[in-house]
């Protein structure tokens, strides 16, 4: 794969999400740019438009200022600076907030060259340095495990990850890279909020999440703060399923023509640990209780992927007239294999409960960052709940 060399102005002048930037491989030498901040200010408009993926409803436009985007890219750079990366190799399409910040602006903030590759296939670049940062998509760990010689050619690899729940391959990647040779920096955020929290790990279980420096917990609708220690609210213990994560940030996006919101309810459920840290329990709607058993569908999907021989799958929460909450399994058979080839007996063993229904589908429509966007059903196998 040939990486076309672009100047910073050529890269940014097409605008956020431009196909000629997102759909081809390129290289930009930010280390040769005399004043990155001035170049960014001259190439990007004062207000940037971003669109939600459409995974939880219609895609909508959200706006944030160029200044806020530049500031957030600086925060991401601060998270990576302890590893001293000499280059950024990105796989995240610059069509959404994460891709725009991490692929376009983060290398400018670090002052290092950037390589971008738009897909799974193709040659990996030779950045000519010993330490790199990789801007990840959900399939990045599978790719890195296929190219361990490339990974091991570096003294250190830092993977910046902001998407769905980490796949099981993440731990395998850290182990295969070798002690002290790799780290994962996770980001929690959304189109509406930008970055909210981060955590860093290189061995063992991932730690708790820490809020971005300019983000704080906000009082919930009942007037209490999640921690009860830093915001004037009354302390309260976490409920069984956690408390809603409601945050305040100067970088919250706004809808066109509307004022910027003062705070944002994220849709995440958390267990606060103190005024700055929390454990993430899951997404609202991704935690279901089936016959008294609480199931985190994100965790269950990861466990089932490791056991069910299929091309893709998704667990989808549904309403059940008998027990209220339940979930369906949508599964894509491997090419050339029909639905009868699927060993669905593993589902209950892995999940602890049978799906209400199993739908076999030709494919699952996902965004560039792996979020489920659209469901079509070709055939259905009914199971007992």
């Amino acid at each position: 794969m040939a990486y076309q060399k672009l100047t910073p102005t050529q890269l940014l002048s097409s605008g956020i999400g431009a196909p000629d930037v997102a759909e081809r491989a390129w290289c930009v030498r930010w280390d040769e740019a005399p004043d990155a901040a001035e170049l960014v200010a001259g190439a990007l408009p004062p207000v940037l438009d971003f669109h939600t993926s459409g995974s939880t409803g219609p895609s909508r436009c959200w706006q944030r200022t160029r200044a806020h985007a530049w500031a957030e890219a600086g925060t991401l750079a601060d998270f990576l600076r302890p590893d001293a990366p000499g280059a950024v190799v990105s796989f995240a399409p610059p069509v959404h907030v994460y891709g725009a910040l991490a692929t376009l602006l983060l290398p400018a903030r670090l002052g290092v060259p950037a390589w971008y590759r738009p897909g799974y296939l193709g040659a990996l670049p030779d950045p000519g340095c010993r330490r790199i940062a990789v801007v990840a998509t959900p399939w990045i760990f599978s790719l890195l495990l296929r190219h361990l010689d490339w990974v091991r050619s570096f003294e250190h690899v830092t993977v910046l990850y902001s998407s769905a729940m980490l796949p099981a391959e993440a731990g395998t990647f850290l182990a295969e890279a070798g002690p002290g040779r790799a780290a994962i920096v996770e980001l929690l955020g959304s189109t509406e909020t930008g970055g909210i929290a981060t955590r860093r790990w290189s061995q063992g279980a991932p730690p708790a999440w820490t809020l971005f420096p300019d983000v704080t917990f906000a009082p919930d609708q009942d007037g209490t703060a999640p921690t009860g220690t830093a915001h004037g609210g009354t302390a309260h213990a976490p409920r069984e399923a956690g408390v809603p994560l409601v945050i305040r940030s100067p970088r919250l996006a706004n809808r066109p023509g509307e004022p910027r919101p003062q705070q944002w309810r994220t849709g995440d459920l958390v267990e606060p640990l103190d005024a700055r840290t929390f454990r993430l329990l899951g997404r609202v709607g991704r935690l279901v209780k089936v016959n008294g058993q609480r199931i985190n569908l994100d965790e269950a999907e990861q466990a089932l992927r490791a056991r069910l021989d299929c091309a893709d799958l998704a667990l989808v929460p549904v309403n059940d007239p008998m027990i209220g909450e339940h979930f369906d399994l949508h599964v894509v058979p491997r090419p050339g294999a029909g639905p009868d080839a699927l060993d669905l007996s593993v589902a209950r063993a892995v999940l602890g409960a049978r799906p209400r229904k199993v739908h076999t589908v030709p494919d699952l429509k996902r965004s560039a960052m792996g979020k489920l966007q659209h469901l079509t059903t070709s055939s259905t196998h009914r199971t007992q709940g």
Side-chain angles (χ1 to χ4, degrees):
M1 174 180 289
Y3 290 82
Q4 181 177 2
K5 186 173 181 180
L6 302 176
T7 67
T9 300
Q10 288 173 327
L11 174 69
L12 299 176
S13 60
S14 297
I16 301 296
D20 61 339
V21 171
E23 298 175 4
R24 62 174 171 171
W26 47 258
C27 171
V28 171
R29 298 301 302 255
W30 284 104
D31 54 326
E32 299 174 354
D35 190 330
E38 183 177 344
L39 286 170
V40 169
L44 294 181
V47 176
L48 307 176
D49 290 345
F50 296 97
H51 293 81
T52 55
S53 65
S55 59
T56 57
S59 178
R60 292 185 175 182
C61 177
W62 290 86
Q63 296 180 324
R64 62 183 62 245
T65 67
R66 179 184 61 215
H68 285 158
W70 183 244
E72 184 168 342
T75 300
L76 301 186
D78 290 341
F79 295 154
L80 299 183
R81 280 198 176 95
D83 296 330
V88 170
V89 178
S90 179
F91 300 86
V95 298
H96 41 66
V97 172
Y98 168 60
L101 294 175
T103 300
L104 301 183
L105 300 184
L106 168 63
R109 277 296 207 171
L110 289 171
V112 300
W115 277 262
Y116 168 70
R117 198 178 91 170
Y120 192 87
L121 302 176
L124 293 171
D126 178 7
C129 59
R130 299 294 297 159
R131 306 173 71 88
I132 65 166
V134 172
V135 177
T137 57
W139 43 260
I140 193 63
F141 298 104
S142 171
L143 177 74
L144 294 177
L145 287 169
R146 289 187 59 185
H147 295 276
L148 282 174
D149 288 345
W150 185 78
V151 171
R152 292 168 180 162
S153 71
F154 300 103
E155 180 181 287
H156 193 273
V157 176
T158 306
V159 177
L160 186 69
Y161 185 88
S162 177
S163 186
M165 185 177 177
L166 272 173
E169 290 95 337
T172 305
F173 160 72
L174 291 176
E176 291 292 336
R181 295 176 61 90
I184 298 173
V185 176
E186 288 185 80
L187 306 174
L188 179 67
S190 67
T191 303
E192 298 89 345
T193 63
I196 294 173
T198 185
R199 62 180 181 178
R200 175 193 176 93
W201 63 295
S202 57
Q203 59 184 356
W209 292 87
T210 300
L211 293 172
F212 272 42
D214 60 352
V215 175
T216 59
F217 290 122
D220 203 352
Q221 289 184 342
D222 60 2
T224 60
T227 62
T229 58
H231 314 289
T234 302
H236 60 85
R239 297 188 291 271
E240 178 187 2
V243 296
L245 177 58
V246 186
I247 59 99
R248 287 177 174 163
S249 166
R251 294 175 287 99
L252 293 178
N254 61 277
R255 298 275 288 134
E258 298 179 4
R260 188 178 67 84
Q262 296 299 305
Q263 63 185 46
W264 190 262
R265 180 182 289 264
T266 67
D268 296 301
L269 296 174
V270 301
E271 177 190 350
L273 302 178
D274 56 37
R276 302 291 304 165
T277 64
F278 60 88
R279 291 190 183 93
L280 181 63
L281 302 182
R283 294 282 298 167
V284 173
R286 298 295 290 167
L287 295 171
V288 299
K289 183 176 283 187
V290 180
N291 296 325
Q293 177 185 356
R294 187 168 298 280
I295 299 174
N296 183 319
L297 295 182
D298 291 324
E299 293 178 352
E301 272 190 14
Q302 295 292 352
L304 192 55
R305 285 179 189 278
R307 294 283 302 277
L308 189 60
D309 185 21
C310 64
D312 197 4
L313 63 85
L315 295 175
V316 180
V318 294
N319 293 322
D320 185 271
M322 295 293 293
I323 63 173
E325 300 177 33
H326 217 306
F327 64 93
D328 285 0
L329 169 61
H330 294 251
V331 60
V332 182
R334 291 200 178 279
D340 294 338
L342 294 168
D343 181 10
L344 298 174
S345 64
V346 304
R348 181 163 187 171
V350 172
L351 305 177
R354 290 184 180 180
R356 187 193 64 153
K357 295 179 182 178
V358 178
H359 307 270
T360 58
V361 296
D363 57 38
L364 292 170
K365 305 297 183 184
R366 296 184 181 276
S367 70
M369 295 307 295
K371 292 183 179 180
L372 194 65
Q373 290 184 298
H374 181 63
L375 290 172
T376 57
T377 303
S378 63
S379 61
T380 300
H381 299 269
R382 296 184 178 273
T383 66
Q384 299 297 317

